[in-house]
Amino acid sequence: MGGVTDAAPASAPSAAQPSVLDLAPVLPVVVLDDAADAVPLARALVAGGLPAIEVTLRTPAALDALRAVADEVPRAVVGAGTVLDPGQVAAARAAGARFLVSPGWSPRLLGALRDSGLPFLPGVSTASEVVTLLDEGVTEMKFFPAEAAGGTRYLKSLAAPLPRARFCPTGGIGLASAPSYLALPNVGCVGGTWMLPADALAARDWARIEALARQAAALGG
């Protein structure tokens, strides 16, 4: 996965165009039912030190939410998650996504991700998938579902034989377990939702979410 501009090759981040994996230790995974919440939520996450935000395409409001963040929160690096097909790739790009994340991949989806010109993280859960993507020139991936697929022990076992692969593990990770993932040499950041508790979202308690984001951002220190 490349840097956060449209022109960056998908597998060649640079100092001028940092990888999304390197923007913050935690990538918030956001599911929104109301696009009106997108901007204040994104502002709270950015203020807390988490500029990279994955808006998942799981709800009818997702594309409008993504577009609002892209238009109104310039400090946010907003991307689309749960990207499953070429149509979603195109729609997310048109809405202003600056990176794309999928829970898995197929040759057709991989082609669309490449053609988008955006950085992307295709999902993997086995060594064979990692090797196949490396053969395709893709070095940055989402490891999903992280805890169910073997967690830190599995990722640690991949580091020596597959040193070029870097991961954003996502799935079942919380504040307590995130540091053990971040300590691994092949992990750039982790994805999670623990800084977005359902009761805080329902109450639109942006101050609490900002505080939880700051706590998550401190894991990189």
Side-chain angles (χ1 to χ4, degrees):
M1 181 168 135
V4 294
T5 65
D6 289 13
S11 59
S14 68
Q17 299 168 341
S19 165
V20 173
L21 295 185
D22 298 323
L23 291 177
V26 178
L27 177 64
V29 179
V30 176
V31 182
L32 284 174
D33 293 309
D34 187 347
D37 292 336
V39 167
L41 174 61
R43 287 175 175 157
L45 292 171
V46 171
L50 301 181
I53 301 168
E54 176 187 335
V55 177
T56 65
L57 303 185
R58 301 181 192 177
T59 68
L63 287 173
D64 286 339
L66 197 160
R67 186 178 295 107
V69 175
D71 290 344
E72 300 182 44
V73 192
R75 292 173 58 203
V77 179
V78 64
T82 321
V83 176
L84 301 177
D85 58 57
Q88 289 185 322
V89 170
R93 192 183 193 286
R98 296 175 65 184
F99 64 93
L100 304 169
V101 183
S102 64
W105 66 279
S106 67
R108 179 169 172 260
L109 178 57
L110 183 62
L113 292 170
R114 285 189 190 280
D115 290 346
S116 74
L118 296 176
F120 60 87
L121 290 172
V124 297
S125 60
T126 69
S128 294
E129 291 173 304
V130 176
V131 170
T132 303
L133 285 176
L134 289 174
D135 192 51
E136 292 284 343
V138 178
T139 60
E140 298 189 347
M141 310 165 199
K142 173 178 179 172
F143 181 63
F144 177 84
E147 287 289 279
T152 56
R153 291 182 63 189
Y154 194 93
L155 282 173
K156 185 176 181 180
S157 71
L158 296 181
L162 302 171
R164 289 190 296 131
R166 297 181 72 217
F167 301 97
C168 174
T170 306
I173 299 173
L175 180 63
S177 58
S180 61
Y181 282 93
L182 293 168
L184 298 176
N186 54 352
V187 170
C189 68
V190 300
T193 62
W194 75 85
M195 74 299 301
L196 304 165
D199 59 339
L201 287 173
R204 294 178 170 81
D205 189 347
W206 311 127
R208 181 181 171 199
I209 288 173
E210 179 181 339
L212 291 171
R214 186 170 292 108
Q215 184 183 43
L219 295 175

